[in-house]
Amino acid sequence: MTTIKLHNSKTRKKEVFSPIDPDNVRMYVCGPTVYDRAHIGNARPVVVFDVLYRLLRHVYGPDHVTYVRNFTDVDDKINARAAESGREIGEITAETTQWYLDDMGALGAMEPNEMPRATQYIPQMIEMIEGLIADGFAYAKDGHALFRVRAYKHYGALSGRSVDDMIAGARVEVAPYKEDPMDFVLWKPSTDDLPGWDSPWGRGRPGWHIECSAMSKDLLGESFDIHGGGNDLQFPHHENEIAQSCCASGHAEDGGGFANYWLHNEMLQVEGKKMSKSLGNFFTVHDLLEQGIPGEVIRFVFLSTHYGKPMDWTAKKAAEAKEVLRKWAGVAVESERVGPDEEVVDALSDDLNTWGAIDRMHELFESDERELLSASAKLLGFDLLSIASSNWAKPFAFETEDGRFLEEGIDYLPTVAVFGWGTISDDVRDSALAIVHRWLKHRREKAWAEADALRDAALQAGVELRATRSPNGVNGGTASLLSEVSIAKLESLL
Ligand code: AMP
Ligand code: ZN
């Protein structure tokens, strides 16, 4: 069997992955808080853990992996959104949840086996908190329940920091109901206008961290294999999940139990800068899809950087990814008979070396291993056959002599032709033809400087001009259009 190695944040080492039960490999990933569209950073863990899920299914069998990812549907950000928009909370969370599933589906992410919503697990959370209080790991005060951080001696083990260092570095809230500023909220009171549930501490709602402990226990058991999320969650969220779960399951002394392997993806930036609304470089996945960037292209860009490294989203990478996928889709075949290439599997098994897997797939393309390429792409979550049938990956060709669409196998070059991808509007096609004609005119008149200047300007605008010679001896030319070419730029050349 393939050996998978994963970098475990808990030990800060790359380790051989050995599941508790190979018949049921269990993974929990922290999901979104549902009050708005997911930004492209939020999509990174989804794609990363989707690849891990696919790899685990490949190695252990599709029926032997359980993947759980939650929806946080009770949160102060949701309450604030409801208050400012005057909409019902349930309406906002239901709408946002569906948006999330649609957008992540467009990125080729499979749905996890279980997608629990926090509001469905309130009794389990209350029960866990009651147990923690009974055992002295938590206390109730003024309608709140709080976790007593100093009662868990391994607190900070995941981040490798002491409690005092963490207090110094974090914005911990001092509050009258806290014994210690570091203690965190398990339950808090709700006013009448806020969502609330009856509890032994009065009507209230859960703090954020307890939901993941309660839901993972219910769906995966007290101990499971992999826990994932973005590295911004390592502290405090994951530190707190560990403290709650280990203390609730009798592992307070040894710090064991709960998740054996912790995986954290690094953050995503845009064009070298932290994504932020004020910098104007904040994109949702939906924004990119609306701009016509295919989900597969977004996925490919994500996978070209190792999950443990910061990744930079750039328009250039997206354009390059599109070209690669078009090229691969052009040789796509049915691949049911073969499995993925072994070297691709090996690369992924080495702590999800997606870049190495892609590198190997370039080799498969070069050596015309079409079935292996198609099957390997599938393991990475790309259906090359379906890409081949999508508009953006379909070659467009148009020639002026009789307007016929060129097909493969034609053995002469037309006088003037336009090549591109997908459906090109008549305006774009006609402008491109006019540019070719003007260029040919300069050349016939031996106005070489003008001809070259036009060719260079066209290239800047995303149009490559080439000279051809037809069998009838007439000099011709072609224009190859990038799909991103804009009509305004083309018209400015005329
Ligand atoms: P949130 O809804 O903010 O809790 O985030 C959902 C997931 O997205 C978590 O796993 C975060 O760690 C992750 N995440 C948030 N921002 C980024 C980013 N810029 N890059 C990568 N992952 C992110
Ligand atoms: Zn969580």
Side-chain angles (χ1 to χ4, degrees):
M1 183 182 276
T2 309
T3 302
I4 297 177
K5 288 185 183 161
L6 299 172
H7 181 270
N8 190 350
S9 315
K10 194 161 130 183
T11 56
R12 285 169 277 281
K13 283 198 201 83
K14 202 195 272 190
E15 296 175 348
V16 170
F17 174 66
S18 157
I20 299 167
D21 175 6
D23 282 336
N24 185 15
V25 180
R26 287 160 288 163
M27 170 161 86
Y28 185 95
V29 174
C30 296
T33 305
V34 278
Y35 66 101
D36 209 345
R37 287 268 184 197
H39 61 63
I40 60 170
N42 298 136
R44 192 172 190 202
V46 176
V47 172
V48 165
F49 291 102
D50 180 64
V51 172
L52 179 54
Y53 181 45
R54 289 170 187 268
L55 175 68
L56 294 169
R57 286 164 58 98
H58 174 72
V59 173
Y60 294 94
D63 299 332
H64 300 286
V65 184
T66 308
Y67 173 21
V68 178
R69 186 185 63 214
N70 66 305
F71 282 108
T72 301
D73 61 352
V74 48
D75 184 276
D76 290 346
K77 289 192 282 269
I78 304 174
N79 301 339
R81 180 57 55 97
E84 76 201 20
S85 64
R87 296 178 66 199
E88 290 290 325
I89 285 178
E91 206 184 296
I92 293 174
T93 57
E95 176 184 70
T96 316
T97 298
Q98 193 55 49
W99 283 346
Y100 186 84
L101 293 174
D102 293 345
D103 292 346
M104 300 308 138
L107 303 186
M110 295 173 71
E111 290 194 356
N113 303 87
E114 303 276 356
M115 297 189 282
R117 278 104 170 123
T119 50
Q120 298 166 335
Y121 284 80
I122 303 290
Q124 290 89 334
M125 294 188 224
I126 291 175
E127 192 188 321
M128 189 175 264
I129 297 170
E130 284 184 296
L132 289 169
I133 293 177
D135 293 340
F137 296 112
Y139 55 94
K141 181 87 193 289
D142 300 343
H144 291 74
L146 293 122
F147 189 89
R148 189 175 272 132
V149 166
R150 306 242 180 217
Y152 178 55
K153 66 181 180 196
H154 301 288
Y155 194 86
L158 180 67
S159 350
R161 291 188 291 176
S162 73
V163 174
D164 295 310
D165 281 354
M166 282 187 277
I167 293 183
R171 270 178 273 161
V172 290
E173 196 193 352
V174 182
Y177 49 81
K178 284 187 178 182
E179 285 177 4
D180 185 304
M182 201 59 191
D183 294 349
F184 61 87
V185 171
L186 299 168
W187 189 266
K188 57 189 174 187
S190 289
T191 48
D192 289 344
D193 55 327
L194 290 175
W197 291 262
D198 289 331
S199 81
W201 320 286
R203 184 176 173 277
R205 60 195 193 281
W208 169 30
H209 318 293
I210 193 72
E211 71 179 79
C212 291
S213 288
M215 294 189 283
S216 62
K217 178 182 171 201
D218 199 78
L219 294 165
L220 297 175
E222 283 179 345
S223 295
F224 55 94
D225 301 301
I226 299 171
H227 194 309
N231 68 353
D232 57 328
L233 298 183
Q234 194 157 337
F235 175 78
H237 183 54
H238 290 163
E239 233 25 286
N240 293 354
E241 280 187 36
I242 293 175
Q244 296 160 164
S245 292
C246 292
C247 292
S249 66
H251 283 285
E253 278 307 305
D254 60 19
F258 202 38
N260 287 340
Y261 301 84
W262 285 81
L263 262 74
H264 289 99
N265 64 273
E266 254 288 356
M267 293 291 103
L268 176 145
Q269 305 181 317
V270 171
E271 308 283 352
K273 298 200 183 74
K274 186 175 154 57
M275 195 167 37
S276 89
K277 287 196 171 137
S278 59
L279 287 174
N281 64 352
F282 181 94
F283 305 113
T284 66
V285 172
H286 185 70
D287 290 336
L288 293 185
L289 296 170
E290 288 278 286
Q291 285 168 27
I293 301 182
E296 292 93 339
V297 169
I298 301 173
R299 183 179 182 95
F300 193 97
V301 172
F302 279 16
L303 296 185
S304 52
T305 300
H306 187 259
Y307 77 89
K309 296 210 171 70
M311 96 143 260
D312 199 17
W313 171 271
T314 66
K316 183 162 176 273
K317 281 187 190 172
E320 287 166 0
K322 203 175 206 178
E323 291 312 312
V324 173
L325 286 172
R326 275 176 181 154
K327 210 170 70 171
W328 290 358
V331 300
V333 290
E334 281 296 343
S335 56
E336 302 307 328
R337 291 187 309 120
V338 301
D341 177 67
E342 262 177 51
E343 285 185 43
V344 169
V345 176
D346 287 348
L348 292 182
S349 302
D350 182 13
D351 194 29
L352 296 188
N353 181 2
T354 46
W355 189 86
I358 289 172
D359 212 33
R360 171 64 185 154
M361 287 160 72
H362 282 298
E363 286 178 13
L364 294 174
F365 176 82
E366 293 305 329
S367 51
D368 206 28
E369 300 274 11
R370 298 178 176 213
E371 272 187 297
L372 279 178
L373 176 65
S374 301
S376 304
K378 218 173 265 174
L379 179 61
L380 278 176
F382 298 103
D383 184 341
L384 294 184
L385 276 177
S386 107
I387 292 176
S389 66
S390 54
N391 195 39
W392 62 270
K394 272 198 199 124
F396 167 93
F398 179 84
E399 55 143 318
T400 49
E401 277 185 330
D402 57 8
R404 253 181 310 141
F405 284 83
L406 289 182
E407 275 164 18
E408 226 185 309
I410 257 176
D411 58 359
Y412 70 89
L413 289 163
T415 309
V416 177
V418 176
F419 301 108
W421 295 96
T423 317
I424 291 168
S425 72
D426 290 353
D427 284 356
V428 166
R429 185 200 58 209
D430 293 346
S431 303
L433 286 173
I435 291 167
V436 180
H437 280 296
R438 172 158 312 180
W439 185 59
L440 292 175
K441 182 165 178 287
H442 288 322
R443 288 168 63 89
R444 276 197 304 276
E445 292 167 355
K446 302 200 189 316
W448 304 116
E450 281 88 345
D452 290 353
L454 180 59
R455 186 195 54 205
D456 294 348
L459 197 57
Q460 284 294 315
V463 183
E464 193 177 11
L465 298 177
R466 282 177 197 271
T468 62
R469 196 170 175 81
S470 308
N472 54 8
V474 181
N475 286 326
T478 63
S480 296
L481 305 176
L482 285 180
S483 49
E484 286 75 19
V485 63
S486 82
I487 181 67
K489 274 195 181 164
L490 291 189
E491 284 174 346
S492 74
L493 296 173
L494 291 167

